Amino acid sequence: MPNAHPRGLPTVGGDCTTILGPGTSSVRQARYVVRKFLAEHGLQELVDSAELLVSELATNAVVHASGRYRLTLSLDIGTLRCEVADEQRQLPRPPNRQAESKEDNGHHENHAGAAESGRGLLLVDALSHRWGSRLIEGGKEVWFELEIGAPDRRDGAEEADARHMATGRL
């Protein structure tokens, strides 16, 4: 996996790149990196959302790529960007397309893990300002952005919607 940070947005206040993995304990380390980075920049209001979303992307990297992954945190004016890059080249499907693809081909997965698959991306989609994925040299990168100083998207009805999407219960 290349160590060079692929530049998307210009950064303000520096960035942080860490190589983690491959075990599940690296998800805890990823959360620690997020907390420390945000505390250093006086952005404690983003810690809960950023930790949750980084946990989801890091868990996906550990489970699906089974190797090391790179976590990059960067600040742009008004935005925190978090990127998780791993060595698997298969891009995640946006949550709304997962359901469509099952209907389109008539195939419904019946294995025990099927109900859990995709819930992390539903949270990322619900709680981030925007997110995406792209192929990079040696693998893929999944990223999300949180607005700095914006109202927490988890307030009120949106928080309930995110919980319902994650648990499958109404």
Side-chain angles (χ1 to χ4, degrees), residues 2 5 17 34 46 59 63 75 78 90 109-110 122 125 149 153:
H5 171 61
T17 300
V34 168
L46 295 179
T59 298
V63 169
L75 296 174
Q90 183 176 351
E109 297 180 36
N110 292 321
L122 287 171
D125 189 54
R153 290 187 63 187

Side-chain angles (χ1 to χ4, degrees), residues 12-111:
V12 175
D15 61 356
C16 170
T17 300
T18 307
I19 304 296
L20 298 163
T24 56
S25 65
S26 71
V27 176
R28 184 175 352 104
Q29 293 169 329
R31 288 192 302 265
Y32 172 77
V33 169
V34 168
R35 273 192 314 274
K36 185 176 178 196
F37 180 80
L38 292 174
E40 288 172 357
H41 290 88
L43 296 170
Q44 288 83 356
E45 74 273 11
L46 295 179
V47 169
D48 291 341
S49 295
E51 272 190 317
L52 175 62
L53 300 183
V54 164
S55 289
E56 296 299 336
L57 297 188
T59 298
N60 285 348
V62 168
V63 169
H64 299 294
S66 302
R68 297 181 323 143
Y69 60 95
R70 181 183 68 232
L71 169 63
T72 301
L73 307 169
S74 59
L75 296 174
D76 187 21
I77 297 171
T79 305
L80 167 70
R81 183 176 173 103
C82 302
E83 303 167 348
V84 173
D86 62 49
E87 295 174 341
Q88 186 183 49
R89 295 205 40 92
Q90 183 176 351
L91 294 175
R93 289 186 201 167
N96 58 346
R97 291 189 193 155
Q98 288 178 339
E100 291 171 10
S101 69
K102 288 180 184 179
E103 291 173 10
D104 289 345
N105 65 19
H107 181 284
H108 295 278
E109 297 180 36
N110 292 321
H111 60 83

